Amino acid sequence: MSTALDTLTRMTDSLTACTRGVMPQSEMIRQWRSDAASLPLPEKFGTVLGNLLDRIEASALFSEESCSFSQKDLFANLQLWADKARAQCTKTA
């Protein structure tokens, strides 16, 4: 189980780096898609994450926050997803 928690830590570290402008969004998204596939989570987690990452990719088309896509909110939702995934992985340990 520590492997899953380590993976989630890597994912949240890359999210932090992305929000600080240290890591490109495309790299963070690629890492999240790859790492999430290895997590022992229910299918609904993958569906939700896929939708969030798709929205973040679409938001990259806008240079500023728009009424349709708030990158800040999307990143906050990614953090929430990671928190819930961590709780799920801890619960099933």
Side-chain angles (χ1 to χ4, degrees):
M1 190 49 56
S2 66
T3 301
L5 298 178
D6 292 343
T7 299
L8 284 163
T9 298
R10 271 195 318 274
M11 292 169 73
T12 55
D13 288 349
S14 69
L15 175 60
T16 300
C18 184
T19 58
R20 292 183 178 162
V22 178
M23 176 184 277
Q25 274 187 16
S26 59
E27 185 178 334
M28 185 270 300
I29 290 168
R30 182 198 53 73
Q31 180 188 353
W32 272 63
R33 287 191 194 279
S34 174
D35 286 354
S38 69
L39 294 172
L41 296 170
E43 185 178 331
K44 65 183 174 183
F45 276 83
T47 302
V48 170
L49 180 60
N51 290 335
L52 283 170
L53 294 175
D54 289 347
R55 290 171 59 200
I56 290 172
E57 286 176 323
S59 74
L61 300 173
F62 300 97
S63 60
E64 300 291 326
E65 298 281 313
S66 76
C67 58
S68 298
F69 298 103
S70 169
Q71 287 187 351
K72 180 180 175 185
D73 290 344
L74 291 170
F75 287 155
N77 283 322
L78 273 185
Q79 183 61 56
L80 179 61
W81 182 94
D83 294 343
K84 289 184 178 196
R86 184 175 299 278
Q88 179 71 28
C89 288
T90 302
K91 180 171 65 173
T92 58

